[in-house]
Amino acid sequence: MARWRDKPAARAAMLALGAGLIAAAVFFALGRDWKAALEPLAHADPWLGVALAAAVVVQLALTGLLFWAVTLSFDATPRVGPVRMIQVIAASSLLNYLPFEAGLVGRAAYLKWRHALPVRQSVQILLAVIALSVAVPGAAVLVALTTHGSMGVAAGVVALLLLCVVTTPIAKALLKRPIRLGWFWAPLRTAELLAGSLRLWLAFQIAGHPMAFHQVLIAASAGFFVSLLSPTPNGLGLREWVIAGLSSILEPTTGPAAALASLVDRAIEALVFTPAGLWAVHQLRREGDASGLQPVSREG
């Protein structure tokens, strides 16, 4: 029996829910005096927006590199290069805004078609990335809550080194296959999380409510996890409310400003994902046309 969320009506409902949550977040962020709420945006340094967009690009590239590094341990033939995987991730990130998990399905289908990667292995790759998305943000939140300043940096480095050491043996035991570059998975996920945290920190600057980076790191870690596992496309709406809620806990007067910051982050993300995703789709199609769109076939 199919899962309830696999049904088209349920997926469309999740898109509608995400849109509704975004609309509610807008009302919460702006309040009754929407002109006053938007005033910080009007006076924000334009370079902050440029820097935020650049951070989105960097994070997108790091996501692609992480999937590339994890995929090296699986049976793609020919192997997926880092540039191609970044293109695949850029395309799927845009398609994930559609209600039918088009990005997830499209990524698995493309890798099956062009690289003979079994769909079950695409699922295993995603599960490995999800596991990293629990371990790395979890460790980051623990460090941010218990240490500060130079001690926090030192504790973070120690935690990262431990993850580098244990990732390969754990992955080898769970996946039952040789692991390549396993030590590199956690640093890539960490760099991706830091890029996402920088995005949110810049968004708070644009919203006129600067927050300490360790507080932003906690909120970004939660938003990072929600985006990956949310039933709404790309965590639409849920990520904004989670960030606003956690920011309010960390600093009680921050709620509306945090919602506005998360909306700014989402808006610039969409502005980057759209051309990046369309460019990636174009590049992948052009490569396919150049090779005659002949699939690589292999049993298994």
Side-chain angles (χ1 to χ4, degrees):
M1 181 179 296
R3 298 176 302 159
W4 68 270
R5 61 177 292 184
D6 288 334
K7 299 178 180 179
R11 291 176 177 176
M14 288 301 99
L15 177 61
L17 173 62
L21 288 172
I22 285 289
V26 170
F27 281 110
F28 177 65
L30 300 185
R32 295 183 178 180
D33 191 354
W34 61 271
K35 290 184 179 180
L38 290 175
E39 187 174 354
L41 271 62
H43 294 90
D45 188 337
W47 284 106
L48 290 174
V50 174
L52 203 164
V56 174
V57 173
V58 169
Q59 188 179 13
L60 191 61
L62 288 168
T63 303
L65 289 175
L66 175 62
F67 273 88
W68 163 75
V70 175
T71 303
L72 286 176
S73 299
F74 291 84
D75 300 326
T77 305
R79 292 203 177 276
V80 187
V83 174
R84 176 169 290 186
M85 185 59 83
I86 290 172
Q87 293 172 343
V88 171
I89 292 301
S92 65
S93 295
L94 176 61
L95 293 174
N96 275 338
Y97 273 111
L98 299 176
F100 304 111
E101 297 181 352
L104 176 63
V105 174
R107 181 170 67 243
Y110 178 84
L111 293 175
K112 172 67 175 175
W113 177 260
R114 298 297 304 147
H115 295 273
L117 183 70
V119 173
R120 69 176 181 277
Q121 292 192 18
S122 284
V123 173
Q124 290 176 322
I125 291 167
L126 179 61
L127 290 175
V129 171
I130 290 174
L132 288 166
S133 300
V134 174
V136 171
V141 169
L142 181 62
V143 169
L145 288 174
T146 56
T147 59
H148 297 290
S150 59
M151 285 296 296
V153 174
V157 170
V158 170
L160 177 58
L161 290 175
L162 286 174
L163 287 172
C164 290
V165 170
V166 303
T167 296
T168 296
I170 291 176
K172 188 174 182 179
L174 293 177
L175 298 173
K176 302 185 186 309
R177 61 173 50 247
I179 301 300
R180 299 185 61 188
L181 293 184
W183 62 270
F184 196 39
W185 297 1
L188 281 172
R189 204 44 152 175
T190 301
E192 186 185 359
L193 175 61
L194 290 175
S197 300
L198 176 60
R199 281 174 51 178
L200 191 57
W201 182 84
L202 289 166
F204 271 101
Q205 301 286 326
I206 294 171
H209 195 98
M211 284 188 69
F213 190 80
H214 74 278
Q215 294 177 320
V216 172
L217 177 63
I218 294 170
S221 296
F224 192 79
F225 184 72
V226 167
S227 292
L228 190 63
L229 294 182
S230 170
T232 62
N234 271 347
L236 190 67
L238 287 177
R239 187 176 81 190
E240 285 72 19
W241 281 104
V242 166
I243 289 173
L246 271 178
S247 299
S248 296
I249 293 172
L250 295 169
E251 193 174 317
T253 61
T254 306
L260 181 60
S262 65
L263 289 166
V264 168
D265 178 67
R266 173 74 72 179
I268 294 184
E269 175 187 272
L271 288 174
V272 171
F273 277 13
T274 299
L278 292 175
W279 167 80
V281 169
H282 170 71
Q283 290 294 111
L284 292 171
R285 287 187 62 183
R286 189 173 70 172
E287 290 173 8
D289 291 341
S291 63
L293 282 175
Q294 295 300 314
V296 178
S297 52
R298 182 183 67 228
E299 294 299 324

